[in-house]
Amino acid sequence: MTAHQSQLVLDCADPETLAVFWSRLLGGVPVHRDPGWSRLDPPGGLRMAFQRVPEAKTGKNRLHLDIAVGDVTVAAEEALGLGARRVGEQVRDAAGAFQVMRDPEGNEFCFVGP
């Protein structure tokens, strides 16, 4: 079997709101297929889809996105203005820097930079 990744699907309570948040963060135009399903094709990235589920998010994600940026501090500040939340302090080491963030529904993601 030969397979390839077609999209990343996030379970959520409000697909339209998350599609708009992620479009502002990554670019692209959100598409709202129906109240339970939205998607986004960020330029140069993997399609992201958002599907409504009845249960709330509990605990830490087992999978998260790392988003490469030129300046972790600036990216985190801009994301805060879009409705993201910071998790802990920025980490800096010999490999660079990263900041753990959460989207408006609490899904973790990281800004990673030099």
Side-chain angles (χ1 to χ4, degrees):
M1 173 177 72
T2 302
H4 68 277
Q5 295 175 323
S6 64
Q7 62 187 355
L8 175 68
V9 181
L10 278 77
D11 291 349
C12 60
D14 187 348
E16 290 184 11
T17 296
L18 278 193
V20 169
F21 168 81
W22 284 98
S23 74
R24 291 178 178 160
L25 194 68
L26 299 175
V29 178
V31 174
H32 309 297
R33 191 174 81 188
D34 64 46
W37 185 269
S38 294
R39 69 174 168 81
L40 169 68
D41 291 305
L46 182 64
R47 172 177 282 175
M48 295 178 72
F50 308 90
Q51 71 179 356
R52 177 170 286 129
V53 296
E55 62 275 3
K57 179 185 180 307
T58 60
K60 185 179 181 305
N61 291 11
R62 300 281 311 253
L63 172 74
H64 70 267
L65 297 176
D66 279 354
I67 301 170
V69 295
D71 187 315
V72 172
T73 302
V74 170
E77 289 301 317
E78 290 178 9
L80 290 170
L82 298 174
R85 292 171 295 178
R86 190 184 320 265
V87 177
E89 298 298 318
Q90 186 178 129
V91 175
R92 292 187 176 277
D93 59 22
F98 71 90
Q99 174 67 59
V100 180
M101 305 290 291
R102 287 192 178 139
D103 73 11
E105 288 202 16
N107 298 301
E108 294 89 2
F109 64 96
C110 291
F111 286 123
V112 179

